[in-house]
Amino acid sequence: MPVPKVLKGRYEIREVLGKGGMGVVYRAFDTTLKRDVALKTILDIADRKALELFHKEYEVLASISHPNIVEIFDLGEFEEERESMPYFVMPLMSGMALDMVIRTSSHRLTVERSVDIISQTCRGLQAAAVVREDFLCGVDERH
């Protein structure tokens, strides 16, 4: 699904950051506020369950203000093959994804660092008061 190069006359799409079972996250540039952002959209608008989960995700995120929950800056829709495709805009976070930290680390994570990561995750989930259906994204479920 090709996304327009500029959304809402404001967000310039720069590159794909990640792709999951439900959506795609892009690096974009907010030309109004002059900052890099992350922009997420859904992969398949025909998948009603995915669309419902996408809407639920941004509604939950937008309703929470917490240091361990990403903030929603904006949301909207763009036209793709005569379908309205939803998207939402979030801060672009620096650093590596946890699975990359674990895979590329020259040493094992210390117990203290592991506890810190799990504590931050739990605080975010507690603030959201929900456990997302795709919480295990990036985990190899074959084992």
Side-chain angles (χ1 to χ4, degrees):
M1 167 201 71
V3 172
K5 296 218 184 284
V6 178
L7 293 179
K8 206 175 186 178
R10 177 177 180 174
Y11 303 108
E12 294 176 355
I13 304 300
R14 300 274 169 96
E15 67 179 303
V16 173
L17 292 175
K19 187 174 182 181
M22 184 177 83
V24 181
V25 179
Y26 297 92
R27 175 188 303 272
F29 183 74
D30 182 339
T31 60
T32 301
L33 297 177
K34 309 289 188 231
R35 64 181 175 186
D36 287 321
V37 294
L39 186 144
K40 183 173 184 176
T41 189
I42 194 166
L43 278 173
D44 183 8
I45 195 70
D47 183 344
R48 294 298 165 202
K49 179 69 172 170
L51 182 60
E52 180 182 311
L53 287 172
F54 187 85
H55 285 291
K56 184 176 181 179
E57 179 178 8
Y58 75 68
E59 287 169 358
V60 168
L61 291 173
S63 71
I64 299 169
S65 177
H66 189 275
N68 299 106
I69 302 286
V70 70
E71 182 181 0
I72 298 294
F73 288 157
D74 195 10
L75 58 96
E77 295 181 342
F78 64 93
E79 291 295 315
E80 173 63 35
E81 298 176 6
R82 295 192 284 230
E83 294 274 4
S84 289
M85 301 292 288
Y87 68 88
F88 60 87
V89 181
M90 308 166 283
L92 182 64
M93 309 305 281
S94 61
M96 274 196 276
L98 180 58
D99 63 337
M100 287 300 293
V101 170
I102 293 168
R103 276 190 265 157
T104 61
S105 179
S106 59
H107 303 292
R108 296 181 68 135
L109 291 175
T110 65
V111 171
E112 293 80 13
R113 182 67 179 130
S114 298
V115 169
D116 181 50
I117 291 167
I118 292 168
S119 294
Q120 289 182 51
T121 304
C122 289
R123 286 193 299 271
L125 288 172
Q126 182 181 23
V130 298
V131 176
R132 292 187 42 209
E133 290 183 29
D134 64 345
F135 179 72
L136 292 176
C137 64
V139 175
D140 187 348
E141 296 180 15
R142 294 174 290 178
H143 297 103

